[in-house]
Amino acid sequence: MKKMLFIINPRSGKEQIRPRLLKILDIFVKAGYRPEVLVTQSQGHAREIAEKWGGRVSMVVCSGGDGTLNEVISGLMHVKKKPVLGYIPAGSTNDFASSLKISKNMERAAQTVVEGTPFAVDVGKLGERHFVYIAAFGAFTDVSYMTSQEFKNILGHQAYMLEAVKRIVQLKSYHMRVSCETEQVEGEFIFGMVTNTKSVGGFKGLINQEVELDDGEFEVLLIKMPKTPLDLNNIISYMFFKEEKNEYVHKFRAHELKVESELPVDWVVDGEFGGTYTEVEIVNCRQAIQILRDAQPEPEISEEEEALQEAEIQETAGDASVS
């Protein structure tokens, strides 16, 4: 039987893997794999496991949210002979799984692990930290890592929104200079993100839908401090409704970029605290990790269908927690 390292974060997404674990393991075994299951015990543990043991198997599979996926990929980036990676989404948002069109149905995702096709994705590097799909600073970026796991498990995606509302009156700007091979922008910024994803925080409208996850380029978005409430309204209109451009929003693509600031700025990578910097370089490591996905991904579903699937997942997880 083929060896498989299966890393599980049991607390992600209302602990929804609990009632499905035996079915998932059965799928793996029937496909000829011998899974070694390791359950994470603390933050950072998934990265340690992946780095220490990932080079000894041909396949690593992880189940958890975006943070767990980040830890596993960060660990594998230090492995000389990198295994192929399978992913079973189990978080509150699962942005990168959405970009890869990996099913939120855990049994279906497990089938993708054993039947799917490897797809080499880009991995970002912020200073010495790796990120899978986003590095960001400024307004609301601390929401994900400041929201407790218990709160996420109770409210799911709504927990992030409630935390964001608390911070809307705390908008702060940073004087920064951002430069890359084709652009140089300087000013007072309230928000910035460097991404390789089609979805951020569960919202698909923030990113150009023509994003390619393996092209070696980031999508960069920078928002300057608005001077009036009308300016803020125009920014929101441009971001969500694609109205005409304005001087406060900058969008461009880059393979690597340098960000300099007068004061220390906190960064977030894949929903976790990524460090504080006054100067940092961000680099795209092109096609660094192979992730298994369907050769013919499932078609996009409507928001209503997605909401029904999410409700079913939460109901099942709730039944499991009672039992």
Side-chain angles (χ1 to χ4, degrees):
M1 300 185 77
K2 295 169 285 188
K3 291 183 179 180
M4 171 196 290
L5 176 61
F6 188 17
I7 304 171
I8 299 173
N9 180 347
R11 302 185 67 203
S12 291
K14 300 185 179 181
E15 304 181 2
Q16 58 181 289
I17 195 170
R18 289 181 58 194
R20 297 170 170 83
L21 183 56
L22 289 180
K23 288 184 179 179
I24 291 170
L25 292 175
D26 188 53
I27 290 170
F28 292 162
V29 172
K30 284 180 177 176
Y33 288 93
R34 188 180 71 195
E36 179 179 357
V37 180
L38 294 179
V39 179
T40 61
Q41 303 298 308
S42 59
Q43 186 174 1
H45 193 202
R47 180 172 57 250
E48 295 173 11
I49 294 171
E51 183 173 353
K52 184 174 182 179
W53 302 106
R56 306 187 185 189
V57 295
S58 60
M59 179 185 292
V60 171
V61 180
C62 70
S63 179
D66 293 319
T68 304
L69 181 63
N70 170 281
E71 287 192 17
V72 171
I73 288 181
S74 295
L76 293 180
M77 288 297 288
H78 295 282
V79 173
K80 187 174 182 179
K81 186 179 179 181
K82 295 177 176 55
V84 68
L85 177 62
Y87 182 40
I88 300 177
S92 301
T93 305
N94 304 310
D95 278 317
F96 203 62
S98 177
S99 295
L100 288 167
K101 295 184 180 179
I102 295 175
S103 177
K104 291 183 179 180
N105 179 292
M106 300 184 82
E107 287 89 348
R108 175 66 186 129
Q111 288 289 351
T112 297
V113 169
V114 298
E115 299 174 358
T117 302
F119 175 66
V121 299
D122 300 340
V123 174
K125 191 175 184 182
L126 173 86
E128 296 302 314
R129 288 286 300 269
H130 290 96
F131 63 95
V132 179
Y133 72 99
I134 185 171
F137 70 85
F140 313 132
T141 52
D142 65 339
V143 167
S144 53
Y145 69 84
M146 290 295 289
T147 305
S148 70
Q149 185 66 53
E150 288 77 14
F151 199 26
K152 292 176 187 177
N153 286 348
I154 293 170
L155 295 178
H157 185 67
Q158 294 177 358
Y160 296 106
M161 305 307 295
L162 290 173
E163 286 293 321
V165 169
K166 292 180 184 178
R167 290 162 170 75
I168 201 165
V169 296
Q170 302 174 358
L171 287 178
K172 179 182 178 181
S173 66
Y174 304 88
H175 189 87
M176 308 179 81
R177 181 188 300 108
V178 181
S179 55
C180 67
E181 54 268 35
T182 59
E183 301 278 343
Q184 182 166 314
V185 184
E186 184 171 357
E188 296 287 331
F189 295 100
I190 60 170
F191 176 77
M193 64 181 185
V194 180
T195 63
N196 187 46
T197 181
K198 298 179 181 180
S199 172
V200 175
F203 298 103
K204 297 181 180 179
L206 292 175
I207 304 291
N208 187 330
Q209 293 304 296
E210 296 179 358
V211 171
E212 299 292 340
L213 305 179
D214 61 347
D215 63 359
E217 287 193 316
F218 297 119
E219 281 65 45
V220 183
L221 170 69
L222 302 168
I223 301 178
K224 288 185 176 180
M225 184 72 174
K227 296 178 182 178
T228 68
L230 180 60
D231 293 332
L232 180 59
N233 184 64
N234 289 338
I235 290 171
I236 294 172
S237 296
Y238 173 63
M239 294 292 297
F240 290 97
F241 304 108
K242 307 302 179 187
E243 296 186 3
E244 64 181 41
K245 296 182 180 181
N246 64 77
E247 61 181 305
Y248 296 99
V249 181
H250 298 270
K251 285 186 175 183
F252 55 92
R253 296 174 184 265
H255 167 68
E256 59 182 271
L257 61 158
K258 184 177 182 180
V259 183
E260 302 167 274
S261 57
E262 294 180 350
L263 298 174
V265 176
D266 290 344
W267 284 78
V268 173
V269 293
D270 297 340
E272 305 293 335
F273 179 64
T276 302
Y277 304 90
T278 55
E279 181 178 315
V280 67
E281 292 187 358
I282 306 173
V283 179
N284 187 302
C285 305
R286 187 176 186 186
Q287 300 180 10
I289 294 287
Q290 293 192 85
I291 297 184
L292 291 158
R293 68 173 186 175
D294 290 321
Q296 295 182 328
E298 294 179 337
E300 294 280 354
I301 64 174
S302 67
E303 292 183 0
E304 291 77 11
E305 291 173 314
E306 190 170 6
L308 287 173
Q309 287 186 8
E310 181 67 22
E312 181 182 353
I313 289 172
Q314 293 184 6
E315 181 179 354
T316 305
D319 293 342
S321 64
V322 171
S323 62

